[in-house]
Amino acid sequence: MKVMAQLAMVMNLDKCIGCHTCSVTCKQAWTNRSGTEYVWFNNVETRPGQGYPRTYEDQERWRGGWIRDKRGRLRLRDGGRIAKLLRIFANPRLPIIEDYYEPWTYDYENLTNAPAGDTFPTAAPRSQLTGKPMKVSWGPNWDDNLAGSPETLAKDPILKKVSEEVKLSLEETFMFYLPRICEHCLNPSCVASCPSGAMYKRSEDGIVLVDQDRCRGWRMCVSGCPYKKVYFNHKTGKAEKCTLCYPRMEVGLPTICSETCVGRLRYLGLVLYDVDRVLEAASVEDEKDLYEAQCRILLDPSDPEVIAAARAGGISEEWIEAAQRSPVYALIHKYKVALPLHPEYRTMPMVWYIPPLSPVVDAVSRDGHDGEDVGNLFGALNALRIPMQYLAELFTAGDTGVVEGVLQRLAAMRSYMRDINLGREPQAHIPHAVGMTEEQIYEMYRLLAIAKYEDRYVIPTAFNPQARDLEQMGCSLDSDGGPGMYEPEPTPVSVETFHAQQRSRVNLLNWDGHKVPAGMFPEEHRT
């Protein structure tokens, strides 16, 4: 057993209101420069819908991720080294700008500089790529709030997998929002697809990054990523992707999308996993077993054997303690309510999702029944038109039983906590019906409903003995049998400057308004 650490995220889709604040703040922080006009490291999709880029989940077209061959070995769906060499100068399996959208701005100068006249001047749209006037016909959120409409119904790749009954009744059902970032997978196909070895997975915390010095712009990583979360900067000729805000994470701060999330739906934490079993877990024969296989390689951070192996692998006590307090591990392994996005791609994604439940309560209440009663909720789960099958195709490779179990636990939590909040005697049989204790239900409620900042984000900092090691990062895929194609050279990562900048910063979100926090004002301006 070789224990390694992975920073991971869980998003509670019950809380996402589709405000896109996370997308805008990420855009301003990381992709607001020339060449990244169309790039959204974080985007929020309306489901059902086509996604961004359009139909990215159609792997018959884009050929991302891994497949299992007849001998039980993993192979890149997009082909191996020879196939890549044959089309290294012309890769046809890439989304074009129309699949993303042609970014635009507005001719605001016309509003201020237009001469006096009888008509009111307008700010016509202009392409950010060519500068020419254009007609806006598609955008990254063009199908926002259009779930179930004829415009998006036929183009959603997931709907092709569900039953005809679901498709016919979809316009009568609800929609939900799906925020997406890079999955920072345990078995990343983008890393294995890169001919130059520029894509690598940090051995210290599992974040997948691009070495800009080594990147040659072959764009095989864009094809290899099944989530299409690697982008090509047409100005620099380099690949770029979500970095999980690693400069912030190294000093204990959450990602910018998490920090600014209006619904407080994101959780960040550390998990420990057995790297020796990643390939085995990703290679299981039945796609429906991939979720359970991935759960099995996540290790219990309180297990003495795991702790000893983590220490032997150089993981510090601070990081082991952070893994023990991790909300991500609790939601995945203890409460079993978080699910991976498209495990059938066999990349072992590490951004997990809690499926939505709210519309179930609304649907029951509209019929005049008690929407919080556990009996009504359990019955409604099986009658949903959103379909359990649709959620299963997103999160469990089509296994509706797992999704139903998650929704039952969430429904049980609501019913159990309603009695407590109304001052009534709690019903102990409700947690037991879903295989949980009363204490677990209450702890899960606190984490999902009223968790504080420090409970949602348990992020270990880059501790001093490790600071020098951070300057020369290795790759966790270099072990025997790993999917890495090349031995990457150590990549310099400097964190000292960011450490220095962050020491004087103040988090005003947690300020109670009393006194003056240290670092709010420069020393020379204090009176």
Side-chain angles (χ1 to χ4, degrees):
M1 178 173 61
K2 182 180 180 181
V3 179
M4 298 192 74
Q6 171 76 43
L7 286 168
M9 180 183 289
V10 169
M11 301 192 209
N12 185 359
L13 299 185
D14 233 1
K15 290 186 171 184
C16 185
I17 61 174
C19 66
H20 302 280
T21 304
C22 52
S23 300
V24 173
T25 52
C26 176
K27 182 73 173 175
Q28 289 298 315
W30 296 108
T31 62
N32 61 348
R33 62 196 176 280
S34 180
T36 60
E37 293 88 353
Y38 79 102
V39 172
W40 295 85
F41 288 166
N42 182 108
N43 70 288
V44 182
E45 300 170 357
T46 297
R47 303 315 300 253
Q50 299 179 62
Y52 174 76
R54 283 191 261 194
T55 68
Y56 71 92
E57 293 159 304
D58 184 0
Q59 302 311 327
E60 294 300 320
R61 177 186 181 189
W62 302 119
R63 301 185 62 80
W66 302 89
I67 57 173
R68 185 179 185 272
D69 64 17
K70 296 180 180 179
R71 299 174 62 181
R73 298 177 301 181
L74 287 189
R75 293 288 182 264
L76 288 170
R77 187 187 293 269
D78 195 35
R81 299 184 187 183
I82 297 178
K84 287 179 168 51
L85 183 62
L86 292 176
R87 52 186 173 85
I88 196 166
F89 295 109
N91 185 1
R93 298 194 183 103
L94 286 173
I96 59 177
I97 196 66
E98 285 77 13
D99 294 313
Y100 295 100
Y101 73 108
E102 185 171 358
W104 72 88
T105 184
Y106 295 96
D107 190 3
Y108 295 109
E109 289 189 6
N110 189 48
L111 295 178
T112 57
N113 299 336
D118 296 333
T119 59
F120 195 80
T122 61
R126 287 184 175 273
S127 171
Q128 287 186 299
L129 301 182
T130 65
K132 298 179 180 179
M134 63 174 287
K135 181 180 179 181
V136 178
S137 59
W138 186 257
N141 299 315
W142 201 260
D143 55 358
D144 199 15
N145 301 337
L146 290 178
S149 73
E151 184 177 351
T152 62
L153 188 64
K155 298 178 182 179
D156 184 344
I158 300 301
L159 287 179
K160 297 178 181 178
K161 302 179 181 180
V162 301
S163 67
E164 197 64 31
E165 294 178 4
V166 170
K167 298 177 185 178
L168 293 175
S169 62
L170 200 60
E171 67 273 8
E172 303 173 12
T173 190
F174 68 90
M175 64 186 180
F176 64 96
Y177 299 107
L178 181 70
R180 290 203 308 120
I181 65 172
C182 169
E183 296 287 331
H184 296 279
C185 307
L186 298 182
N187 186 34
S189 53
C190 60
V191 173
S193 298
C194 179
S196 62
M199 300 279 296
Y200 66 102
K201 185 174 178 66
R202 297 208 311 188
S203 57
E204 177 246 350
D205 52 17
I207 298 177
V208 177
L209 298 172
V210 182
D211 182 350
Q212 295 290 299
D213 293 330
R214 298 190 65 176
C215 180
R216 296 295 176 264
W218 302 122
R219 288 175 279 186
M220 297 298 175
C221 52
V222 180
S223 300
C225 175
Y227 305 97
K228 291 297 174 279
K229 276 300 176 181
V230 183
Y231 301 90
F232 180 69
N233 186 321
H234 57 88
K235 290 289 187 180
T236 64
K238 308 287 186 179
E240 298 189 22
K241 62 179 296 298
C242 162
T243 64
L244 204 65
C245 291
Y246 76 89
R248 293 175 58 89
M249 300 282 267
E250 285 171 357
V251 293
L253 296 176
T255 61
I256 195 71
C257 59
S258 301
E259 182 85 80
T260 59
C261 178
V262 173
R264 300 183 179 183
L265 59 97
R266 300 181 187 232
Y267 299 81
L268 287 166
L270 197 72
V271 295
L272 302 179
Y273 69 99
D274 185 357
V275 70
D276 290 337
R277 297 168 57 196
V278 170
L279 191 59
E280 174 190 348
S283 305
V284 296
E285 182 175 1
D286 191 344
E287 291 181 344
K288 294 182 179 180
D289 294 333
L290 284 165
Y291 161 68
E292 292 292 348
Q294 186 169 353
C295 287
R296 285 195 295 269
I297 66 175
L298 301 183
L299 304 173
D300 182 358
S302 299
D303 186 334
E305 184 178 349
V306 173
I307 294 174
R311 289 170 178 164
I315 299 177
S316 72
E317 297 296 328
E318 179 189 359
W319 281 50
I320 294 174
E321 181 186 354
Q324 293 170 346
R325 297 187 296 111
S326 171
V328 171
Y329 179 81
L331 293 170
I332 294 174
H333 225 281
K334 185 176 181 182
Y335 308 130
K336 297 185 181 298
V337 293
L339 302 172
L341 181 64
H342 289 300
E344 69 271 18
Y345 298 160
R346 299 182 183 271
T347 60
M348 303 281 112
M350 289 311 296
V351 176
W352 295 52
Y353 294 87
I354 300 174
L357 180 65
S358 289
V360 183
V361 178
D362 296 339
V364 174
S365 301
R366 279 197 302 269
D367 294 335
H369 302 291
D370 185 352
E372 299 284 356
D373 180 79
V374 68
N376 292 336
L377 280 178
F378 281 5
L381 293 178
N382 295 320
L384 274 181
R385 284 191 300 262
I386 243 218
M388 195 90 66
Q389 192 179 350
Y390 188 91
L391 295 174
E393 293 293 346
L394 276 176
F395 302 121
T396 58
D399 188 351
T400 56
V402 174
V403 176
E404 184 176 5
V406 170
L407 296 179
Q408 284 182 349
R409 282 187 282 276
L410 294 174
M413 179 191 72
R414 291 195 176 191
S415 293
Y416 180 81
M417 290 307 304
R418 185 186 65 160
D419 289 334
I420 294 178
N421 292 332
L422 293 178
R424 300 195 299 229
E425 189 69 24
Q427 303 178 57
H429 72 277
I430 294 178
H432 297 157
V434 293
M436 299 179 70
T437 65
E438 293 183 76
E439 292 76 13
Q440 286 178 325
I441 284 283
Y442 185 71
E443 291 170 0
M444 183 170 71
Y445 163 76
R446 290 192 61 85
L447 185 57
L448 292 179
I450 56 176
K452 295 182 178 180
Y453 187 91
E454 59 270 17
D455 297 324
R456 287 183 286 124
Y457 310 133
V458 180
I459 306 167
T461 58
F463 59 100
N464 290 333
Q466 198 178 37
R468 182 57 56 184
D469 295 336
L470 278 173
E471 296 179 0
Q472 299 292 329
M473 281 299 169
C475 179
S476 63
L477 303 180
D478 295 335
S479 58
D480 293 338
M485 295 175 62
Y486 296 94
E487 179 80 18
E489 297 175 1
T491 304
V493 178
S494 176
V495 298
E496 290 84 357
T497 302
F498 191 84
H499 273 278
Q501 291 175 343
Q502 290 295 325
R503 284 188 185 123
S504 61
R505 296 209 175 175
V506 178
N507 187 351
L508 294 179
L509 295 176
N510 290 341
W511 184 35
D512 60 5
H514 301 295
K515 300 182 180 180
V516 178
M520 178 175 283
F521 302 106
E523 292 289 339
E524 59 271 18
H525 292 163
R526 289 188 180 179
T527 58

